[in-house]
Amino acid sequence: ETGVTQSPTHLIKTRGQQVTLRCSSQSGHNTVSWYQQALGQGPQFIFQYYREEENGRGNFPPRFSGLQFPNYSSELNVNALELDDSALYLCASSPTVGANTEAFFGQGTRLTVV
Amino acid sequence: ELKVEQNPLFLSMQEGKNYTIYCNYSTTSDRLYWYRQDPGKSLESLFVLLSNGAVKQEGRLMASLDTKARLSTLHITAAVHDLSATYFCAAIPMNRDDKIIFGKGTRLHILP
């Protein structure tokens, strides 16, 4: 167990709806990253938050947004859901930013859009 | 832009055999990771390789890194059924500290 917890574990939404996924980072970690993993693919970087500010973003449209709270937990919000948003969403926490730190992944949220 | 390619993408092998998974990356990277993922589960960190010539071993798995060739390998010795999983190679782009770039994964199926 990594100490990174995500909720909910499974979710079914209808196309066009909005969804919020949550992540509690490991104790002492101030950096949270979000990844999308489609079936049969490797995870794709969505964005990273460091001390409540966005620190970097991947190639995802603006309807993917995030937030980090003072306790360093984080939310991923997706608006106007599309069928292709169906995936496993992984949260990873790190002690800080920088290439020399290791990321620890949560168990993921399986989102199905119908 | 950094790209990570693994091969093979699918591997079925008998218990007791040896095999190697290859990971090529397209541009210089600060570090190379290997992860394991069981079906429906999250990613488990196996190895972090930082420098040219780095070799790490854990049980029947051994990972190595050749930064000049931009190649990492994950070698499986005397495979056992419990090693059946998907293995991902991943790297961090130079001058970026935010994202990890993953390969597509190698789905390993070990037959008893």
Side-chain angles (χ1 to χ4, degrees), chain A residues 2 7 9 18 21-22 24 30-31 35 38 51 53 59-60 63-64 66 72 75 78 81-82 97 99-100:
Chain A
T2 62
S7 62
T9 54
Q18 179 264 344
L21 310 182
R22 295 179 174 82
S24 293
N30 59 23
T31 303
Y35 290 80
R51 292 187 174 179
E53 297 287 333
N59 296 324
F60 281 80
R63 59 190 185 83
F64 285 78
Y72 303 131
E75 285 183 354
V78 187
L81 283 167
E82 301 177 359
V97 294
N100 293 324

Coordinates of all heavy atoms in Angstrom, one line a residue, chain A residues 2 7 9 18 21-22 24 30-31 35 38 51 53 59-60 63-64 66 72 75 78 81-82 97 99-100:
Chain A
T2 N 0.5 2.2 -0.8 CA 1.3 3.4 -1.0 C 0.9 4.6 -0.1 O 1.6 5.5 0.1 CB 1.2 3.9 -2.4 OG1 -0.2 4.3 -2.7 CG2 1.7 2.9 -3.4
S7 N -11.0 8.2 -4.4 CA -12.5 7.9 -4.3 C -13.2 8.6 -5.4 O -12.8 9.7 -5.8 CB -13.0 8.3 -2.9 OG -12.9 9.7 -2.8
T9 N -14.0 4.3 -6.1 CA -13.2 3.3 -6.9 C -13.8 3.0 -8.2 O -13.1 2.7 -9.2 CB -13.1 2.0 -6.1 OG1 -14.5 1.6 -5.8 CG2 -12.4 2.2 -4.8
Q18 N -20.9 15.8 -15.6 CA -19.7 16.3 -15.0 C -19.3 15.3 -13.9 O -20.2 14.7 -13.3 CB -19.9 17.7 -14.5 CG -18.7 18.3 -13.8 CD -18.7 18.1 -12.3 OE1 -19.7 17.8 -11.7 NE2 -17.5 18.2 -11.6
L21 N -13.4 13.5 -9.2 CA -12.6 12.4 -8.6 C -11.7 13.0 -7.6 O -11.2 14.1 -7.7 CB -11.8 11.7 -9.7 CG -12.5 11.2 -10.9 CD1 -11.6 10.5 -11.9 CD2 -13.8 10.4 -10.6
R22 N -11.5 12.2 -6.5 CA -10.7 12.7 -5.3 C -9.5 11.9 -5.0 O -9.5 10.7 -5.2 CB -11.6 12.8 -4.1 CG -12.7 13.9 -4.3 CD -13.7 14.0 -3.1 NE -14.6 15.1 -3.3 CZ -15.7 15.0 -4.1 NH1 -16.1 13.9 -4.6 NH2 -16.5 16.0 -4.2
S24 N -6.4 11.6 -1.9 CA -5.6 12.0 -0.7 C -4.2 11.5 -0.9 O -3.9 10.3 -1.0 CB -6.3 11.3 0.5 OG -7.6 11.8 0.7
N30 N 3.6 16.9 -1.0 CA 2.9 18.1 -1.3 C 2.6 18.2 -2.9 O 2.1 19.2 -3.3 CB 3.7 19.4 -0.9 CG 5.1 19.4 -1.6 OD1 5.4 18.7 -2.6 ND2 6.0 20.1 -0.9
T31 N 2.9 17.1 -3.6 CA 2.7 17.1 -5.0 C 1.8 16.0 -5.4 O 2.0 14.9 -5.0 CB 4.1 17.0 -5.7 OG1 4.9 18.0 -5.3 CG2 3.9 17.1 -7.2
Y35 N -3.3 10.9 -13.9 CA -3.0 10.2 -15.1 C -4.3 9.6 -15.6 O -5.1 9.1 -14.7 CB -2.0 9.2 -15.0 CG -0.6 9.7 -14.8 CD1 -0.2 10.2 -13.5 CD2 0.3 9.8 -15.8 CE1 1.1 10.7 -13.3 CE2 1.6 10.3 -15.7 CZ 2.0 10.8 -14.4 OH 3.2 11.3 -14.2
A38 N -6.4 4.5 -20.5 CA -7.4 3.8 -21.2 C -7.1 2.3 -21.3 O -5.9 1.9 -21.1 CB -7.4 4.4 -22.7
R51 N 1.8 22.4 -4.2 CA 1.5 23.4 -3.2 C 0.3 24.3 -3.7 O 0.4 25.5 -3.8 CB 2.7 24.3 -2.9 CG 3.7 23.5 -2.1 CD 4.9 24.4 -1.7 NE 5.8 23.7 -0.8 CZ 6.9 24.3 -0.3 NH1 7.2 25.5 -0.5 NH2 7.7 23.5 0.5
E53 N -0.9 24.9 -6.6 CA -0.8 25.5 -8.0 C -0.5 24.5 -9.0 O 0.2 23.5 -8.8 CB 0.4 26.6 -8.0 CG 0.2 27.7 -7.0 CD -0.8 28.7 -7.5 OE1 -1.1 28.8 -8.7 OE2 -1.4 29.4 -6.6
N59 N -1.5 16.9 -22.7 CA -2.4 17.3 -23.8 C -3.8 16.9 -23.6 O -4.4 16.1 -24.3 CB -1.8 16.6 -25.1 CG -0.4 17.1 -25.4 OD1 -0.1 18.3 -25.2 ND2 0.4 16.2 -25.9
F60 N -4.4 17.5 -22.6 CA -5.9 17.3 -22.3 C -6.6 18.6 -22.5 O -6.1 19.7 -22.1 CB -6.0 16.7 -20.9 CG -5.8 15.2 -20.9 CD1 -4.4 14.8 -20.8 CD2 -6.8 14.3 -20.9 CE1 -4.2 13.4 -20.8 CE2 -6.5 12.9 -20.9 CZ -5.2 12.5 -20.8
R63 N -11.7 21.1 -20.5 CA -12.7 20.5 -19.6 C -12.2 19.6 -18.6 O -12.9 19.2 -17.7 CB -13.8 19.8 -20.5 CG -13.2 18.7 -21.4 CD -14.3 18.2 -22.4 NE -13.8 17.1 -23.1 CZ -13.9 15.8 -22.6 NH1 -14.5 15.6 -21.5 NH2 -13.4 14.8 -23.3
F64 N -10.9 19.3 -18.6 CA -10.2 18.5 -17.5 C -9.6 19.6 -16.7 O -8.7 20.4 -17.1 CB -9.1 17.6 -18.1 CG -9.7 16.3 -18.7 CD1 -10.2 16.4 -20.0 CD2 -9.6 15.1 -18.0 CE1 -10.7 15.2 -20.6 CE2 -10.1 14.0 -18.6 CZ -10.6 14.0 -19.9
G66 N -8.4 20.8 -12.4 CA -8.1 20.2 -11.1 C -8.0 21.3 -10.0 O -8.1 22.5 -10.3
Y72 N -3.1 19.3 0.7 CA -2.5 18.7 -0.4 C -3.3 17.6 -1.1 O -2.8 16.9 -2.0 CB -1.1 18.2 -0.1 CG -0.2 19.3 0.4 CD1 0.6 19.1 1.5 CD2 -0.1 20.5 -0.3 CE1 1.4 20.2 2.0 CE2 0.7 21.5 0.2 CZ 1.4 21.4 1.3 OH 2.2 22.4 1.7
E75 N -8.5 17.2 -6.4 CA -9.6 16.8 -7.1 C -9.3 16.9 -8.6 O -8.6 17.8 -9.1 CB -10.8 17.7 -6.8 CG -11.5 17.5 -5.5 CD -12.7 18.4 -5.3 OE1 -13.0 19.3 -6.2 OE2 -13.4 18.2 -4.3
V78 N -14.0 16.7 -14.5 CA -14.1 16.5 -16.0 C -15.6 17.0 -16.3 O -16.5 16.4 -15.8 CB -13.9 15.1 -16.5 CG1 -13.9 15.1 -18.0 CG2 -12.6 14.6 -15.9
L81 N -18.7 15.2 -20.2 CA -18.1 13.9 -20.4 C -18.4 13.3 -21.8 O -19.5 13.4 -22.3 CB -18.6 12.9 -19.3 CG -18.0 13.0 -17.9 CD1 -18.8 12.3 -16.9 CD2 -16.5 12.6 -18.0
E82 N -17.3 12.7 -22.3 CA -17.5 12.0 -23.6 C -17.2 10.5 -23.4 O -16.6 10.1 -22.4 CB -16.4 12.6 -24.6 CG -16.6 14.0 -24.9 CD -15.6 14.6 -25.8 OE1 -14.7 13.9 -26.2 OE2 -15.7 15.8 -26.1
V97 N 8.3 18.4 -6.0 CA 8.5 18.3 -7.4 C 9.9 18.0 -7.7 O 10.8 18.1 -6.8 CB 8.1 19.7 -8.1 CG1 6.6 19.9 -8.0 CG2 8.9 20.8 -7.5
A99 N 12.7 15.9 -10.8 CA 12.9 14.6 -11.4 C 13.5 13.6 -10.5 O 13.5 12.4 -10.7 CB 13.8 14.8 -12.6
N100 N 14.0 14.0 -9.3 CA 14.6 13.1 -8.4 C 13.7 12.6 -7.4 O 14.2 11.9 -6.4 CB 15.9 13.7 -7.8 CG 16.9 14.0 -8.8 OD1 17.2 13.3 -9.7 ND2 17.6 15.1 -8.6

